[in-house]
Amino acid sequence: MSSTNGSTAIQGTAPSAETIRFTLDGLEIDARPDETILQAAERHGIEIPRLCYTEGMRADGNCRACVVEIAGERVLAPSCCRKPAPGMEVRATSERARKSQRMVVELLLSDMPAEAHRHDSELDYWARFLEVGRPRFAPRPQPAPDASHPAILVRLDACIQCTRCVRACREEQVNDVIGYAGRGANARIVFDLEDPMGQSSCVGCGECVQACPTGALMPAGLAADAVPERKVDSLCPYCGVGCQTTFHVRNGRIIQVEGRNGPANHGRLCVKGRFGFDYVYHPERLTKPLIRREGVPKDPHRLLDPANPLAAFREATWEEALDLAARRLREIRDTYGGGALAGFGSAKGSNEEAYLFQKLVRTGFGTNNVDHCTRLCHASSVAALLECIGSGAVSNPVSDVQYADVFIVIGSNPTVNHPVAATFMKNAIERGAKLILMDPRRSELARLATYSLQFKPGTDVAVLNAMIYTIIEEGLVNEEFVANRTEGFEELKRRIRPYSPEAMSAVCGIPAETLREVARLYATSRASMIFWGMGVSQHTHGTDNARCLITLALITGQIGRRGTGLHPLRGQNNVQGASDVGLIPMVYPDYRSVENPETRAFFEELWGTELDPKKGLTVVEIMDAAKAGRIRGMYIMGENPAMSDPDLNHAREALASLDWLVVQDLFLTETASFADVILPASAFPEKTGTFTNTDRRVQLGRQAIDPPGDARQDLWIIQEMARRLGLDWNYGGPRDVFEEIRKATPSYAGITWERLERESAVTFPCRNEGDPGEEVLFTERFPTPSGRGKIVPVDLTPPDELPDDEYPYVLITGRLLEHWHTGAMTRRSNVLDAIEPVPTAYLHPAELARLGIEESDGVALETRRGRITLAARADLAVPKGAVFVPFCWVEAAANILTNPALDPFGKIPEFKYCAVKISRAERVPQGEAAIGEHELATRA
Amino acid sequence: MAYPYRHERETRILSEYFGDPEARRLAVWRARGGYAALEKALNMGPDAVIEEVKKSGLRGRGGAGFPTGVKWSFMPKDSGKPHYLLINADESEPGAFKDRELLRWTPHQVIEGALIGAYAIRAQHVYIYMRGEFFEPAQIVARAIEEAYEAGLAGKDILGAGVNIDVTLHLGAGAYICGEETALMNSLEGRRGQPRIKPPFPAAVGAFGMPTTINNVETVSTVPHIIKNGGDWYRSFGTEKSPGTKLFNMSGHLVRRGNFELPLGFNLKELIYDVCGGIPDGRKLKAVIPGGSSVPILSADEIDIPMDYESVARAGSMLGTASVIVMDDRTNIVKTVRRIVEFYAHESCGQCTPCREGTAWLVKILRRIESGQGTEADLDTLLDLGRNMTGTTICVLSDSAAAPVASSIKKFREEYLALIRGGKGSAATVAA
C-alpha cells in the first residue's frame, strides 16, 4: 500500500496504524482518526464544494453542497460531518453527487442580488468551480437592508441560511444574539426577537461578519469591490488578550481587519479589534512636530482643543523640535540632576519601544524615574505575586480555562475588558466548567455563572479570608502541596481565626453558607483557576486582595498544573512586555532590582554607562513630585496621565507646573495640552515590533501602512532624542533592539526574531533557543529563594474614603466595551464612538428612582476633589448605593473624582472606591462635542 | 358504542375497545386484562422481553417498518448512563389518524406498552411526545398517567419489582417535523425542532445526549399483546415478513372511512371495495396514496396488491403508516399534489438547502402549471429538482415532498400537459 502521493504527506502525521485508508473517487487516501472526509480530501489537495462548513467551526452539514456518494448507502452524506471508515468507497465527483452539489448552488444562486455584496463570495467561487450557469429559478422578494448598526451592514438578500453566523454568535462568542427563525423557505437569520441589528443586544464583535460566506453581513462602509491589495498579519492594538489580526490594505489604507488563528484568539475578535481601527485616519492625527507658542499659558483647568493645535502651537521641522525638546531636558539634567527628570513610557508601544525608552531614561536622564500605566492597573497584583511566588506574570494562559472544572473570576468584567478571553471562558462553561463570579457589579458573565457573589464594594478580603477559613476548617487543604511547596501555613492558620464565613457575612453581604459552598467547590475540584482584574488590584488593599488569591491557590494546590493557577488579566496590549523589559522604576529588564549591585553592574556593562543606584518614583509619586517642583522636566510617550491618573485636577496642575514637557503621541491628548513640544508618532499598524500578551506570549506586530504626513515611527523618535541626550545609539530597527532585549532579559533569551516571524507567537520563559516556551509555570518549584510559595496572611483594611452623610455613595470607575482606556483612540473611531457617544453614569434603577432621576437625565457627581456631569443610565448590574463611571469621557472625566490614596506595596491608586454625592443636573454633555471644545471641570 | 365503522373481516387486537370510553379507566382496563403483560415482562427480564418481541417480527408502525426487537437490542446494556424511551405521538402526516385513536380510546394500552419497552431497554424515563393539537388525547393520556402512578404501575418500584420508570407527557408546539425522531429529541430538549445528522444514532447519542429509543404509539401498543400471547401467536397474523395486524386509516372518496384493523398483507382492492364499501356516488377510482401523503401515488389499475411492506414497495410505493387516501375520478391530480407539496414546504424545518429551497420551488412551479402558466420544461425541472431532493438531506421530509410529484407526473402526465396546453385539465371539478 503505497499509493499515497508523497508530495501531499504532511509532516508529523500520526503513524499509519492509526490512519484510515479509504478511496475517494478511486484514489486511495489516508485520513487521520479525527478527520472528516472533507478534511482528509482537503489535506490531499482535493476540493469538495462546501458553504456551511468553514475551518475552525463546528460542522453543521446543512447546506448539502459537500454531499458525497458512499458505496452501499442510499442517502448522500455530508462530507463535512462524516468520518471515513476503513475501505469506504466515497465518490465526490460521481454524476449523482455532482448533480446534487450543483442543484444546491443553483438554488442558492437564484436568490442572490444582481451585484454581489463581496468580491470574494464563496458561493460565486463554488458556482464557477461546479460550472453552474444561470439559475432556472427566479429570485423571490428579498428583505430590505438593515443599516441600523454602526459597524455591520445586514443585507439578507445574499443570505444562504448556512447558519455560520448563528454558530459564530452562539457557539464561538456565546453572545446568543443571532438566531434562526421561521421554517421552510421562510427560515431566516434574526437578531434577538427579530429586532433591527442596531437595536438588538448585539455587542458588535463581528464574528458573524467574518463567518459570512456571501456578504450578507458586512462591515458597514466596506465596498463590495474593495479588493485588498495586501494582507498583513499583525495584532490587535487594544487589550492584553493579544488577538492576532490580518490587516486588509488597499491604496495604502486599512480597509478591513480580520481575526487570525492565533493561540489567544483562534480567529476571534471583539468590536474594538475588528471595527476600531479607523482612529488612525482621524483628522486630528498630528502630522508635524509642534512647538508651544511663546506666551501660551498652561492652564490646568482648560484643556486645548485637539482639533486646533495651531491655536497654541506652531509647526516645526523635526530637526528643530528634537533639538529643542532634548536641549531643555539636558539643561534640567545638567542643572538639577537626573532626579529632576522623569519619563512615562507606554504599555501600548512595543517591547522595543518600551525597552529603548527605559534605557533612555536610565542612561540619558540618569534616573530610574520611569514608569507607565502598569502602576495604575496591576502594580499591586505584581507586588503580591513577586512577594509570594517570585514571578509577576500569569501562571497559566487564558486558554487553560478549557481544562478547568471550576474557575473564579473576581473583580473583572471580561466580556467588556477582555472580550475574546471571555469567549473561551463561556465556551468552557458550555462544556461544563463551573464559574464562580465575584464582583460588586453583576456583570454579563453572571448569566452563565454557577455562583455570582455580588459582595459589598471594597470587602474582597472578607470574602476571600472566609473562603480560606472554610478550606482550613473543613479539612479541604491539600496537605501534601502545603507541606512540600509552601511556607507560612501555620501562621495563616493562626491569623485566619477571626475570619469565619459567619463573621464575614455581615461585612461582605454574602450568606455564610454561600461562602462555604464556593470555597468547597474551588478547593475540591480536579482543576480550579483564578482570573482577576482591576476590581482586585485598584484598592488601597489591592496587594492584600492578590495575596488572598495566591493563598487560595497555594493551600489547595490549585497551581502548577493545566487548568489551574493564577491569571491577573492584563489590560493593555503590551503591559506585560513593557514591564518585562524594565519600564518600571524599581527594576531593570526581567524584574531585577535596580538596588542590587550585581544586577546594576551587569546593566552598566551592557549599556556602557554608570546607573542610578536608587529606585525611581512611580506614576503618582512623579506627579506629586512635579507639583512640588522636585521634578521639572518630563518626556511622555503614548501615556495620558491627564486622563488616567487619579484626582485629575491635581495631576493636571502637576503637568502644567513642569518647566519642560515633551509629549510623543498620535493626537493632541489631554496630556499634550501641557506640552512644550509635541512629537507626532506612529499608530500601531504603522510600525513593526513585538508585543507580549496576558498569557506571556511574545507576538509579532507587523507594519501594514505608513505613518501620515511627517509623523514618524516611535523607535526613530526615541533614538533621535537619545542621540541629542548624548547617547551614541545606532539601532537599525526593531530587530536590532530585540536582539539587545534578549541579552537584557533572560526569560526572552531563547526567542529569535526568525522564530517570531515564522510562528507569530512564542511563550516566555524561553531561555534557550529552541525551547518550546513554558505555558504552565511552577510545575516543580516557585522561583523564590526557598523554591516555596509564600503564604502571606492579611487582615481587613477598609477603603481609604468611606461614604458619609455628605458623600453617601460609592464611586466605581472602569471601562466600556467600546471605549478603550482614556478614549484617545476609540473616541476617535467613528464606529465605536457612534455606538457609545455620550458620557454616561450607571446606577441601579432603584437608586435613580430614589434620587428622582430619569434615565438620560443629567446627573452630577461630586467628590472632595471635583465634579462632573453625565447622562444617567439605569443598570441592574450596579449595586445599590454605588455609581459606575467609565473613565474614557474627556467631557466628564471620571478621574476628576477619584481618590489618589495608594496601596502601600504596589503604589496603585484606589480607582475602585471613593465617596461621592449624586444629584440631578440640567446639562448633559453631548457626544458630538466630545473631542472638540468642552467645558472643563473645575475644582468643587 | 358506535365507533364510526366496524367490519366483520377485521382482526381487532389494538382496536377492540375503540369507541368505548370505559376502556380509558384503569380499573376497567385492568379488569379486562390490562397490565398483566407488564407484570409478566417484569418477571421475564429485559433481554427475554427483547427476544420475545424479536420473535414476533413486529415492525415499527411509524412508517419505516424497522424490526422493533432489533431496534431495542441496539441499546447498550451497561453504559452507566440514563436511557430514555421516547414515544412518538406526534402523528401529523396528512391521511394518518391511527395513533390519535389509540391515544384517545386506549391510553393504558399505550402506557403499558411504553413501560414494557422502557423496561426492556433499561430506560428510567419515558417521554410521550404528543402533537400539540391533540388536545383531547392529551387530557386523556395525562389522566391515565396519573392513574398509573397512583396504582404503582409507573414511577418508583413498579409493581414491587424494584424497577423505576417515570412517564412524562410532553406536548409539541405545532411542527410536523418534530415527528422526525431526531427533531423530536431536539424539541424535547427545548431546542429548535430540526433533525440531527446521523450518525451518531439515537441508541448511542439520543435525547439529552444519552442512549435513546424512539417508538411509535401503535408499535408500543402492540407490545403488551405480544408479551401476553407470545411472539408465535403474533406471527399467526399477517405475512412471513410483515407479521401481525395493522390499523389501516382509510380516508378520501370512500363509503366507509376510518380505522380498520386487518392483518398485514390484506388486499388493497378488497380493502377499498369490500371493507370500505367502495367509491360513493357511483364514481370511479382514479388514484390511491397507500401510506400517507409522503409516498408515491398508485393509479387505479395498480391497487390489486397485498398491503404489506414488501408488496407495496414492489408496486413502487410504500406502506408507510398504512394511511390510505382514495381519490375518485373527479379529483384534480395536479391540485392534489400541489396541496400535498404545500404542506411539506410549510413544514420543512429550513436547514437543508435542497428541502428549504426545493419545496418552495416545487410549490411555485406546480402553482404555475395549475394556473395554466406552465411549460413542458417545467415538468423536467420538477423531476430534476425532485431527484436532487431525494436522498440528499438530513431527514426524509424532502424526499416526501418529491415523491408524489415524480409519481404523479409519471402516472398522470396527461393531466399536467392538459393544464400546460391551456386546457382545464382532465378533471372538471375539484375534490372537496
Side-chain angles (χ1 to χ4, degrees):
Chain A
M1 302 276 273
S2 61
S3 65
T4 315
N5 184 346
S7 66
T8 57
I10 307 290
Q11 288 283 322
T13 309
S16 59
E18 287 179 26
T19 61
I20 294 133
R21 177 149 295 192
F22 70 106
T23 66
L24 179 61
D25 294 315
L27 194 76
E28 282 200 337
I29 64 173
D30 286 331
R32 295 171 184 162
D34 58 343
E35 271 180 341
T36 61
I37 294 170
L38 186 145
Q39 287 167 331
E42 181 112 326
R43 197 163 48 77
H44 288 83
I46 301 163
E47 279 190 298
I48 299 176
R50 86 293 301 264
L51 289 161
C52 72
Y53 171 80
T54 187
E55 206 187 319
M57 192 175 266
R58 179 183 62 79
D60 196 52
N62 68 56
C63 76
R64 317 307 284 184
C66 74
V67 288
V68 294
E69 216 174 338
I70 297 175
E73 295 189 10
R74 182 188 73 85
V75 180
L76 299 180
S79 59
C80 68
C81 293
R82 179 63 81 83
K83 288 182 185 165
M88 189 184 259
E89 287 175 43
V90 181
R91 291 193 296 161
T93 58
S94 68
E95 191 188 344
R96 183 174 169 217
R98 274 288 188 252
K99 272 194 165 167
S100 291
Q101 295 161 5
R102 283 200 187 99
M103 179 61 83
V104 165
V105 171
E106 183 187 1
L107 284 165
L108 295 172
L109 266 186
S110 65
D111 284 324
M112 284 297 113
E115 296 282 324
H117 292 336
R118 57 184 291 175
H119 64 89
D120 53 354
S121 163
E122 291 176 32
L123 182 61
D124 291 341
Y125 175 84
W126 293 115
R128 286 192 299 274
F129 179 90
L130 292 167
E131 296 173 343
V132 175
R134 220 181 134 77
R136 284 167 286 176
F137 312 103
R140 57 180 173 223
Q142 292 288 0
D146 170 3
S148 60
H149 196 282
I152 299 167
L153 177 58
V154 185
R155 285 174 294 185
L156 294 181
D157 54 348
C159 177
I160 58 169
Q161 281 81 16
C162 67
T163 70
R164 270 156 63 166
C165 58
V166 178
R167 282 171 279 157
C169 188
R170 305 190 86 86
E171 296 176 23
E172 301 211 354
Q173 292 267 350
V174 201
N175 289 325
D176 299 348
V177 178
I178 302 185
Y180 197 49
R183 57 193 191 187
N186 196 32
R188 62 202 179 276
I189 297 304
V190 297
F191 306 97
D192 289 342
L193 298 174
E194 206 148 19
D195 295 320
M197 190 187 218
Q199 281 151 46
S200 73
S201 60
C202 170
V203 294
C205 71
E207 199 68 32
C208 55
V209 172
Q210 185 158 318
C212 181
T214 60
L217 295 157
M218 283 278 278
L222 181 65
D225 59 357
V227 184
E229 288 152 1
R230 286 184 296 129
K231 292 186 179 182
V232 181
D233 285 345
S234 193
L235 305 170
C236 174
Y238 287 105
C239 81
V241 172
C243 297
Q244 294 190 356
T245 63
T246 300
F247 292 118
H248 293 212
V249 181
R250 179 181 170 82
N251 296 331
R253 284 174 72 92
I254 297 170
I255 56 171
Q256 191 180 359
V257 177
E258 280 199 324
R260 187 156 59 100
N261 191 16
N265 67 313
H266 295 264
R268 305 173 189 183
L269 292 177
C270 77
V271 65
K272 291 188 290 284
R274 195 184 303 278
F275 300 114
F277 61 88
D278 57 335
Y279 69 94
V280 302
Y281 299 119
H282 194 273
E284 288 173 12
R285 261 308 281 277
L286 301 175
T287 58
K288 285 256 199 267
L290 298 172
I291 294 173
R292 196 174 196 93
R293 292 180 193 280
E294 296 265 341
V296 175
K298 297 179 183 178
D299 181 350
H301 306 301
R302 179 153 193 86
L303 297 178
L304 300 176
D305 176 4
N308 187 20
L310 296 183
F313 294 88
R314 66 174 172 83
E315 291 180 349
T317 64
W318 273 103
E319 208 56 31
E320 185 192 5
L322 287 164
D323 284 347
L324 179 64
R327 193 184 77 223
R328 292 297 309 277
L329 291 171
R330 213 167 53 224
E331 285 168 7
I332 293 171
R333 178 192 68 190
D334 296 345
T335 312
Y336 302 99
L341 293 177
F344 287 169
S346 174
K348 293 232 82 59
S350 66
N351 287 323
E352 295 72 31
E353 289 161 2
Y355 175 82
L356 278 198
F357 190 86
Q358 60 89 32
K359 185 177 171 187
L360 178 146
V361 173
R362 292 196 155 110
T363 63
F365 290 179
T367 174
N368 287 312
N369 291 340
V370 61
D371 206 358
H372 73 291
C373 62
T374 189
R375 193 63 43 212
L376 308 177
C377 60
H378 267 307
S380 48
S381 309
V382 171
L385 288 165
L386 286 172
E387 172 191 24
C388 299
I389 58 175
S391 163
V394 302
S395 68
N396 298 57
V398 172
S399 55
D400 254 31
V401 72
Q402 68 185 302
Y403 306 113
D405 283 355
V406 171
F407 64 106
I408 291 175
V409 173
I410 175 166
S412 172
N413 186 2
T415 54
V416 162
N417 298 318
H418 303 86
V420 173
T423 67
F424 293 101
M425 296 180 190
K426 292 187 273 186
N427 294 155
I429 295 167
E430 302 267 296
R431 170 187 59 69
K434 291 191 167 80
L435 165 63
I436 302 168
L437 185 68
M438 303 181 181
D439 203 309
R441 284 171 71 216
R442 192 184 151 81
S443 60
E444 174 65 18
L445 275 185
R447 186 168 66 91
L448 301 168
T450 301
Y451 287 94
S452 182
L453 272 56
Q454 219 178 338
F455 59 87
K456 291 181 193 165
T459 63
D460 315 60
V461 170
V463 173
L464 299 172
N465 267 355
M467 286 176 68
I468 294 166
Y469 180 98
T470 304
I471 289 166
I472 294 174
E473 189 205 39
E474 298 189 4
L476 308 175
V477 170
N478 183 334
E479 303 284 357
E480 194 190 332
F481 192 91
V482 166
N484 297 332
R485 303 281 311 269
T486 71
E487 58 197 18
F489 181 66
E490 290 307 315
E491 169 75 3
L492 173 74
K493 258 165 88 175
R494 210 162 39 248
R495 291 269 300 278
I496 203 70
R497 274 184 207 136
Y499 302 110
S500 70
E502 291 67 28
M504 290 301 98
S505 178
V507 178
C508 64
I510 303 295
E513 191 47 36
T514 306
L515 292 168
R516 287 183 178 273
E517 283 169 21
V518 297
R520 290 175 201 137
L521 189 60
Y522 172 80
T524 59
S525 103
R526 193 186 49 81
S528 296
M529 202 167 171
I530 302 177
F531 294 93
W532 75 91
M534 310 299 80
V536 163
S537 61
Q538 290 176 337
H539 284 284
T540 47
H541 50 85
T543 304
D544 283 348
N545 291 346
R547 285 168 174 155
C548 289
L549 296 172
I550 296 164
T551 296
L552 275 176
L554 289 177
I555 63 173
T556 56
Q558 298 286 17
I559 190 164
R561 290 175 285 126
R562 279 276 179 214
T564 67
L566 299 160
H567 193 120
L569 283 154
R570 294 312 171 108
Q572 299 277 8
N573 59 329
N574 199 36
V575 69
Q576 181 64 51
S579 303
D580 293 339
V581 300
L583 203 59
I584 301 184
M586 49 290 263
V587 292
Y588 294 127
D590 232 359
Y591 305 94
R592 287 177 292 169
S593 171
V594 299
E595 294 177 326
N596 180 323
E598 279 171 44
T599 305
R600 193 165 60 248
F602 170 82
F603 281 99
E604 287 181 341
E605 165 81 23
L606 180 69
W607 293 336
T609 181
E610 251 179 67
L611 294 171
D612 179 5
K614 293 197 315 293
K615 59 184 184 186
L617 299 176
T618 60
V619 166
V620 178
E621 290 168 336
I622 288 170
M623 285 294 127
D624 290 343
K627 183 86 183 296
R630 294 194 304 275
I631 298 266
R632 293 166 179 271
M634 282 191 73
Y635 178 14
I636 298 180
M637 172 181 79
E639 287 260 304
N640 197 8
M643 278 294 283
S644 63
D645 271 24
D647 189 5
L648 281 184
N649 283 316
H650 168 83
R652 289 172 184 177
E653 282 162 16
L655 289 165
S657 70
L658 288 169
D659 292 348
W660 193 246
L661 174 61
V662 180
V663 172
Q664 176 176 326
D665 216 314
L666 307 183
F667 303 102
L668 201 168
T669 60
E670 295 70 28
T671 301
S673 265
F674 309 106
D676 295 284
V677 176
I678 307 177
L679 306 173
S682 52
F684 182 91
E686 296 161 4
K687 57 197 176 187
T688 293
T690 65
F691 296 80
T692 308
N693 81 341
T694 188
D695 300 322
R696 295 181 271 105
R697 290 190 175 107
V698 182
Q699 308 195 97
L700 192 59
R702 295 180 179 84
Q703 183 177 356
I705 52 172
D706 291 324
D710 215 5
R712 295 288 169 92
Q713 292 187 339
D714 297 71
L715 219 52
W716 180 88
I717 302 171
I718 300 166
Q719 192 159 224
E720 290 300 317
M721 285 290 286
R723 285 184 181 149
R724 286 165 174 81
L725 288 159
L727 302 171
D728 180 26
W729 286 5
N730 206 358
Y731 299 98
R735 187 183 175 139
D736 287 357
V737 182
F738 187 76
E739 287 307 318
E740 190 173 313
I741 291 175
R742 292 177 61 198
K743 291 193 192 113
T745 316
S747 315
Y748 282 51
I751 305 173
T752 65
W753 191 266
E754 291 74 17
R755 184 166 169 199
L756 287 171
E757 283 188 326
R758 197 170 60 241
E759 298 176 14
S760 282
V762 181
T763 300
F764 87 82
C766 178
R767 296 175 201 284
N768 300 298
E769 282 186 31
D771 281 1
E774 293 171 45
E775 290 215 340
V776 179
L777 298 183
F778 321 132
T779 53
E780 305 289 332
R781 66 186 301 279
F782 293 100
T784 52
S786 64
R788 289 168 176 265
K790 186 169 155 194
I791 295 166
V792 180
V794 304
D795 296 307
L796 300 190
T797 321
D800 180 71
E801 186 183 65
L802 291 166
D804 53 24
D805 287 347
E806 198 183 349
Y807 299 98
Y809 286 86
V810 176
L811 170 69
I812 305 172
T813 68
R815 287 186 271 152
L816 278 184
L817 170 64
E818 291 80 4
H819 288 305
W820 183 253
H821 221 236
T822 66
M825 292 156 71
T826 53
R827 295 297 304 281
R828 291 181 175 89
S829 160
N830 289 325
V831 169
L832 299 176
D833 203 50
I835 301 174
E836 280 293 348
V838 178
T840 305
Y842 298 74
L843 285 119
H844 193 282
E847 288 294 358
L848 284 178
R850 206 155 71 85
L851 291 158
I853 298 171
E854 300 274 327
E855 225 180 340
S856 300
D857 275 358
V859 56
L861 305 182
E862 188 176 336
T863 67
R864 292 183 173 85
R865 294 156 294 278
R867 180 177 195 271
I868 60 174
T869 60
L870 317 82
R873 189 180 290 179
D875 185 357
L876 285 164
V878 179
K880 291 176 194 167
V883 55
F884 173 78
V885 183
F887 65 99
C888 56
W889 313 109
V890 62
E891 315 89 312
N895 280 323
I896 300 244
L897 308 176
T898 47
N899 182 2
L902 300 183
D903 171 89
F905 307 96
K907 310 285 185 194
I908 189 171
E910 191 152 60
F911 286 120
K912 294 295 184 210
Y913 199 110
C914 71
V916 63
K917 82 170 115 176
I918 303 174
S919 57
R920 199 171 173 283
E922 287 310 316
R923 191 171 169 282
V924 180
Q926 288 304 304
E928 287 71 25
I931 307 295
E933 281 185 70
H934 42 264
E935 182 188 80
L936 288 156
T938 48
R939 198 173 274 276
Chain B
M1 285 299 125
Y3 189 69
Y5 297 105
R6 294 275 169 146
H7 197 274
E8 65 208 16
R9 294 184 70 180
E10 283 187 82
T11 306
R12 290 201 291 270
I13 297 171
L14 300 173
S15 60
E16 189 178 357
Y17 298 107
F18 279 16
D20 176 8
E22 285 296 299
R24 294 167 179 163
R25 292 171 51 209
L26 179 62
V28 174
W29 189 255
R30 289 190 89 168
R32 291 170 180 176
Y35 289 100
L38 174 63
E39 197 163 356
K40 186 175 174 188
L42 294 175
N43 287 319
M44 287 165 69
D47 296 334
V49 172
I50 294 178
E51 281 313 308
E52 201 60 41
V53 173
K54 268 190 185 168
K55 200 201 287 178
S56 77
L58 173 65
R59 297 174 66 171
R61 302 300 194 220
F66 192 83
T68 304
V70 177
K71 192 177 196 176
W72 287 359
S73 68
F74 290 157
M75 290 291 279
K77 299 269 187 271
D78 46 11
S79 67
K81 296 174 180 170
H83 291 190
Y84 295 103
L85 175 67
L86 313 184
I87 304 304
N88 189 344
D90 193 49
E91 183 178 60
S92 323
E93 174 128 324
F97 47 85
K98 61 186 182 66
D99 296 339
R100 182 187 70 200
E101 298 305 291
L102 286 165
L103 294 162
R104 320 172 45 204
W105 298 113
T106 61
H108 285 292
Q109 184 172 236
V110 178
I111 293 166
E112 184 181 5
L115 289 166
I116 296 170
Y119 172 68
I121 62 164
R122 297 162 169 86
Q124 296 79 31
H125 208 136
V126 175
Y127 286 96
I128 301 176
Y129 185 101
M130 196 182 291
R131 178 177 176 179
E133 292 89 338
F134 280 2
F135 185 67
E136 187 210 14
Q139 288 183 309
I140 292 167
V141 170
R143 176 68 198 123
I145 292 172
E146 263 175 49
E147 283 185 310
Y149 268 95
E150 284 160 10
L153 295 164
K156 295 265 179 287
D157 192 20
I158 292 173
L159 290 169
V163 173
N164 306 325
I165 303 171
D166 280 308
V167 181
T168 304
L169 176 64
H170 183 99
L171 290 186
Y176 166 76
I177 195 60
C178 292
E180 196 280 339
E181 61 178 16
T182 56
L184 187 153
M185 297 189 301
N186 272 341
S187 173
L188 183 68
E189 290 176 19
R191 298 170 196 275
R192 186 178 156 87
Q194 53 185 36
R196 300 175 182 174
I197 288 178
K198 292 182 275 192
F201 292 93
V205 182
F208 310 102
M210 300 300 154
T212 302
T213 293
I214 298 100
N215 284 141
N216 171 260
V217 168
E218 187 183 355
T219 311
V220 291
S221 298
T222 309
V223 168
H225 303 283
I226 292 171
I227 295 303
K228 198 181 334 180
N229 303 305
D232 290 335
W233 164 82
Y234 192 67
R235 277 199 170 276
S236 68
F237 308 98
T239 70
E240 156 119 42
K241 289 189 169 164
S242 300
T245 62
K246 174 86 189 74
L247 291 173
F248 288 89
N249 353 175
M250 306 299 294
S251 67
H253 302 131
L254 290 167
V255 170
R256 286 186 291 273
R257 297 180 288 261
N259 279 295
F260 298 91
E261 186 172 1
L262 295 156
L264 283 162
F266 196 90
N267 183 280
L268 175 57
K269 195 167 183 177
E270 288 177 44
L271 182 56
I272 292 170
Y273 286 100
D274 182 9
V275 177
C276 295
I279 317 298
D281 308 329
R283 310 296 308 196
K284 278 199 182 121
L285 180 69
K286 185 175 197 172
V288 176
I289 299 175
S293 64
S294 61
V295 306
I297 299 177
L298 298 175
S299 58
D301 55 4
E302 293 177 309
I303 64 160
D304 194 3
I305 53 168
M307 287 292 274
D308 58 63
Y309 293 101
E310 294 71 30
S311 307
V312 184
R314 217 173 296 125
S317 187
M318 287 189 285
L319 181 67
T321 50
S323 305
V324 181
I325 303 168
V326 176
M327 290 168 269
D328 72 12
D329 55 1
R330 294 170 304 178
T331 308
N332 178 334
I333 290 291
V334 178
K335 178 170 183 178
T336 303
V337 169
R338 187 260 299 161
R339 285 177 61 169
I340 289 172
V341 176
E342 274 177 346
F343 171 79
Y344 289 107
H346 183 257
E347 298 299 337
S348 164
C349 81
Q351 65 174 331
C352 299
T353 308
C355 178
R356 181 185 67 241
E357 308 293 328
T359 52
W361 272 104
L362 290 178
V363 169
K364 266 187 229 180
I365 297 171
L366 287 166
R367 281 185 188 155
R368 188 154 77 205
I369 292 171
E370 201 184 333
S371 66
Q373 312 290 311
T375 64
E376 282 194 48
D378 279 342
L379 295 184
D380 295 335
T381 306
L382 283 176
L383 291 172
D384 188 32
L385 197 51
R387 266 194 299 274
N388 289 299
M389 291 171 64
T390 306
T392 60
T393 49
I394 293 172
C395 77
V396 293
L397 187 139
S398 179
D399 306 52
S400 302
V405 176
S407 60
S408 66
I409 293 177
K410 186 172 160 201
K411 292 169 189 175
F412 300 94
R413 192 177 182 90
E414 280 311 311
E415 279 196 44
Y416 283 91
L417 291 176
L419 284 167
I420 286 166
R421 288 169 188 152
K424 298 245 179 224
S426 60
T429 52
V430 167

